[in-house]
Amino acid sequence: MTQQEPELYYKTHLEQYQQEVKHLQKRIALLSLLRIILFLVAVALIYLFYPHWKTLVPITLVSVVAFVYLLSKHTDAKAKRAFYKALAASNAEELKIAAKQFHHRAAGEEFQDPTHNYSLDIDIFGRGSFFQYINRTATKAGTQELADALKANTILDIEKRQEAIKELASKPEWRQFYAAHASLVKVETPAHFIVDWVSTYKPFLPKVMAYFPQVFTLITGLIFGAIYFEISGSQTLLVSWLLLGLGLTGGYVKSINKLAANSDKVKDTFRQYAVLLDRIENETFKSQLLQEKQQRIQLDALKASQIFKQLSKALDALDNRNNIIGAIFGNGFFLNDIKNSYKIERWIATYGIKIAHWFEVVSFFDAYNTLGNFSFNHPNFTYPELVAEGDVIKATHLGHPMLDAQKRVDSHVTLTNEQFFIVTGANMAGKSTFLRTIALHIVMANMGLPVCASSSQYHPMKLITSMRTSDSLTDDSSYFFSELTRLKYIVDAIAKTPYFIVLDEILKGTNSTDKAIGSRKFVEKLVASHATGIIATHDLSLCEMATELEAVENYYFDAEIVNDELYFDYILKKGICQNMNASFLLKKMEII
């Protein structure tokens, strides 16, 4: 697969889905016209046969059935149009993001955690973040699942995740269809609300209501038959029967109203989740992780999607009580509210315990579709080869995954276990970008994603960083104290579990002499703890440690002044940086 294929795929399918939207628009217009014609014809026939009511009954019934049929087709066409509009919008959005236009998308600030091991330091969330760049989730639960995956910092089952992401990357149409269906829920009730409601629900209808509404409806039919055949007294019986039905329903009206209020909040979610479950059930997966998730929604008798559809139909039917005519005659003659409420209660009693599993699977696929989409969009990235020992990272042409490939300068990096890099360099030469490149390689590799490199061998490690620290007026803590707290957190963490450590210019909150001494002591502490990692610094005295400690190596990013202009090559070199640029920049900008 070449780098251009994803863009070609999106352009081709954007045109295809736009044409489908136009076709469906014409079909909707035709169906609307047919409904108008049917209505006019029905009115004319009723007018012509008005004195002959026995003839009017079948005419009316046929007209109503035909009208409902056309309305159903019209509704289906509108739903398909909305679906293909969502698909077209998805492909158009992918083309925008490929052009690095993604800052209008949700940035995930709500997931930011300053105390997390790395998420704040390496721009996992926020404007211009990795989350904002890759996120394609369509449900709130899926978005949360993706955020949790980005912050998971786990090295277990990486190969299983890799295989799942590879398989989803190979199914672009399935992914887009799944996401398009999920996006059609405009106001989604959180899954935890539904799970809580179902788990605490107390039924109010007796078991006799399983068949009583059907018996009541049968008697209603017999009364209507008596009226049709002009049996004496049947009209009075019909009115009495209507009042009886309304009275029976009225006895449960308070409980039904409460059930309907909660049902109204969840019915759209259930309807859409039924479609999503159907797509999961009917797809063939080969990777172990996807098969495991698929099996969680499989039951012996019915598919989860069919079970969801059962509830969705009952919820929709109960929602029809808002129509006053339907409420009066539906309840008076057929006990509709009781019948539909009983169906909902039986469903909850039978399947309520399974709901949490089904929602979890839907959100999992929503999140992993994002990861598969990322892999599909970056065919030149590589899945790291996982190694049990040796180099932690051995990568060729390693770059930051969000930089333009045409402008990005990649590095060859080999960093062995229990080795520490000290990286020096001029301002803006690329030190911080390099640190984030290494950190993102670890995060992405642990998630099972391909990394921005032509090749990569990786010994899985958890990540911990200290690159950004801020003071807290609320907690009455200074910048320096906050930084010390973070460094203490790192020391305590590596004492329990091996971590890859990324540090950027530590001890900034003290004087230069104290900083140099403290930084040296801290790196010595890390090396003595057999830690692995990188520290970027402007303090060249720290580089002397490479002559004293075998585990320490010096690397740098350089800057040159060419024709009175500052030039950066952004190439990682072994050694110590000798060229700094602060004084030059101060003069260049006429500050001094």
Side-chain angles (χ1 to χ4, degrees):
M1 179 179 285
T2 66
Q3 184 65 45
Q4 296 301 316
E5 282 187 343
E7 186 174 345
L8 178 61
Y9 177 91
Y10 295 132
K11 286 181 178 178
T12 302
H13 285 76
L14 173 60
E15 294 173 1
Q16 175 184 330
Y17 298 140
Q18 286 176 335
Q19 288 299 318
E20 191 65 31
V21 169
K22 291 179 181 178
H23 169 73
L24 287 166
Q25 187 63 50
K26 293 178 181 178
R27 180 174 174 79
I28 290 169
L30 176 62
L31 289 169
S32 297
L33 179 61
L34 290 175
R35 284 162 57 203
I36 293 172
I37 293 172
L38 175 64
F39 175 77
L40 294 175
V41 170
V43 169
L45 289 174
I46 291 171
Y47 177 79
L48 289 173
F49 294 97
Y50 177 69
H52 310 286
W53 72 272
K54 287 187 177 181
T55 307
L56 286 178
V57 169
I59 290 175
T60 303
L61 287 174
V62 170
S63 299
V64 169
V65 169
F67 189 86
V68 169
Y69 173 80
L70 290 175
L71 181 61
S72 174
K73 291 297 182 182
H74 184 269
T75 302
D76 290 345
K78 286 181 68 176
K80 285 184 179 180
R81 181 184 62 179
F83 173 68
Y84 281 104
K85 275 187 174 181
L87 285 172
S90 173
N91 284 273
E93 186 74 352
E94 289 294 345
L95 292 171
K96 287 178 64 177
I97 295 172
K100 304 301 180 185
Q101 300 174 30
F102 63 90
H103 293 96
H104 60 287
R105 298 178 61 82
E109 288 96 343
E110 66 272 27
F111 305 117
Q112 189 63 275
D113 179 8
T115 64
H116 187 259
N117 279 9
Y118 54 78
S119 67
L120 180 65
D121 288 338
I122 62 173
D123 301 317
I124 293 294
F125 305 104
R127 179 174 169 78
S129 65
F130 189 62
F131 173 89
Q132 189 176 42
Y133 180 58
I134 73 168
N135 178 34
R136 304 294 190 276
T137 56
T139 67
K140 291 180 182 178
T143 305
Q144 181 67 58
E145 181 101 7
L146 176 62
D148 291 344
L150 287 165
K151 296 193 291 185
N153 209 17
T154 178
I155 57 176
L156 300 175
D157 298 325
I158 294 176
E159 288 183 340
K160 285 175 65 175
R161 291 194 288 275
Q162 282 186 346
E163 292 305 311
I165 292 169
K166 286 178 184 178
E167 183 169 6
L168 288 172
S170 70
K171 299 175 181 288
E173 184 176 272
W174 187 89
R175 284 187 288 100
Q176 286 201 339
F177 277 33
Y178 186 94
H181 282 301
S183 70
L184 295 178
V185 178
K186 299 304 180 184
V187 180
E188 179 190 338
T189 302
H192 67 83
F193 173 88
I194 300 175
V195 173
D196 291 344
W197 171 59
V198 168
S199 62
T200 59
Y201 184 79
K202 304 295 183 185
F204 60 86
L205 290 171
K207 291 184 178 180
V208 68
M209 292 304 175
Y211 58 85
F212 185 76
Q214 285 75 13
V215 174
F216 196 90
T217 300
L218 176 62
I219 296 173
T220 298
L222 294 174
I223 295 173
F224 273 109
I227 293 173
Y228 185 81
F229 291 107
E230 299 180 349
I231 297 175
S232 177
S234 53
Q235 290 90 343
T236 303
L237 179 60
L238 183 67
V239 174
S240 301
W241 194 250
L242 173 68
L243 295 175
L244 175 62
L246 292 174
L248 290 171
T249 304
Y252 296 103
V253 69
K254 186 176 180 180
S255 297
I256 293 174
N257 285 341
K258 185 177 180 181
L259 175 61
N262 285 312
S263 299
D264 188 58
K265 296 177 183 177
V266 305
K267 61 185 179 68
D268 286 340
T269 302
F270 274 106
R271 183 188 301 111
Q272 199 59 38
Y273 271 49
V275 177
L276 298 176
L277 287 166
D278 184 69
R279 294 207 63 80
I280 296 169
E281 290 165 343
N282 292 310
E283 184 64 19
T284 301
F285 296 112
K286 297 179 180 179
S287 66
Q288 182 182 348
L289 182 57
L290 299 185
Q291 287 181 344
E292 288 173 356
K293 295 297 181 180
Q294 191 179 45
Q295 289 166 4
R296 284 178 68 85
I297 61 173
Q298 292 176 343
L299 298 176
D300 294 334
L302 293 174
K303 293 181 177 180
S305 60
Q306 294 173 318
I307 295 169
F308 263 50
K309 286 175 183 176
Q310 287 179 355
L311 179 62
S312 181
K313 289 180 180 178
L315 293 174
D316 285 338
L318 185 62
D319 189 52
N320 289 333
R321 68 198 301 270
N322 294 324
N323 182 315
I324 188 168
I325 296 177
I328 293 173
F329 294 105
N331 288 317
F333 291 134
F334 311 111
L335 302 183
N336 280 347
D337 281 2
I338 292 176
K339 177 177 64 178
N340 294 322
S341 296
Y342 186 82
K343 286 181 179 179
I344 294 170
E345 288 193 340
R346 289 301 92 203
W347 191 98
I348 292 174
T350 306
Y351 301 112
I353 195 172
K354 300 286 186 181
I355 285 180
H357 293 162
W358 294 334
F359 283 166
E360 185 272 328
V361 171
V362 167
S363 60
F364 167 86
F365 275 95
D366 193 20
Y368 265 68
N369 274 356
T370 280
L371 305 183
N373 187 77
F374 177 84
S375 178
F376 176 78
N377 286 347
H378 299 87
N380 290 341
F381 287 13
T382 185
Y383 286 89
E385 176 190 348
L386 304 180
V387 294
E389 56 186 24
D391 298 327
V392 175
I393 296 176
K394 185 176 182 181
T396 58
H397 299 103
L398 176 65
H400 195 289
M402 293 172 61
L403 294 179
D404 188 337
Q406 304 302 319
K407 301 177 182 178
R408 187 181 67 227
V409 178
D410 298 332
S411 303
H412 300 312
V413 180
T414 301
L415 206 157
T416 62
N417 193 28
E418 299 184 9
Q419 185 180 35
F420 226 87
F421 280 8
I422 297 177
V423 181
T424 54
N427 294 300
M428 302 183 296
K431 298 191 305 298
S432 295
T433 299
F434 177 71
L435 296 189
R436 289 180 173 82
T437 298
I438 294 292
L440 268 178
H441 175 286
I442 294 171
V443 172
M444 293 165 65
N446 288 347
M447 291 177 68
L449 285 171
V451 298
C452 182
S454 58
S455 69
S456 172
Q457 289 184 333
Y458 173 58
H459 171 63
M461 290 189 74
K462 295 183 177 182
L463 175 68
I464 195 167
T465 66
S466 180
M467 299 173 67
R468 288 181 180 140
T469 308
S470 61
D471 57 356
S472 174
L473 296 177
T474 303
D475 297 334
D476 194 26
S477 61
S478 68
Y479 177 95
F480 187 59
F481 182 77
S482 296
E483 188 173 16
L484 291 179
T485 302
R486 183 67 174 184
L487 296 180
K488 176 66 165 62
Y489 173 76
I490 291 175
V491 170
D492 291 344
I494 65 173
K496 302 172 184 176
T497 306
Y499 282 89
F500 191 99
I501 304 167
V502 179
L503 307 171
D504 191 4
E505 206 65 58
I506 63 172
L507 303 179
K508 296 183 283 291
T510 187
N511 65 73
S512 58
T513 301
D514 197 28
K515 172 186 172 183
I517 297 172
S519 297
R520 184 184 182 93
K521 294 293 184 183
F522 186 70
V523 173
E524 287 175 349
K525 169 75 173 178
L526 296 179
V527 172
S529 302
H530 305 288
T532 306
I534 303 175
I535 181 172
T537 182
H538 286 98
D539 182 7
L540 299 185
S541 67
L542 201 61
C543 299
E544 297 171 4
M545 298 182 67
T547 62
E548 304 165 8
L549 299 172
E550 185 179 351
V552 177
E553 288 195 25
N554 290 319
Y555 286 85
Y556 73 99
F557 288 93
D558 209 356
E560 294 181 291
I561 299 173
V562 180
N563 297 326
D564 201 36
E565 293 292 338
L566 202 58
Y567 170 74
F568 303 103
D569 59 16
Y570 303 110
I571 296 175
L572 180 69
K573 305 178 182 73
K574 193 166 185 177
I576 303 171
C577 180
Q578 301 299 327
N579 300 324
M580 298 300 179
N581 61 3
S583 298
F584 173 80
L585 289 173
L586 287 168
K587 291 179 181 178
K588 188 71 174 176
M589 297 176 67
E590 299 181 352
I591 298 173
I592 60 174

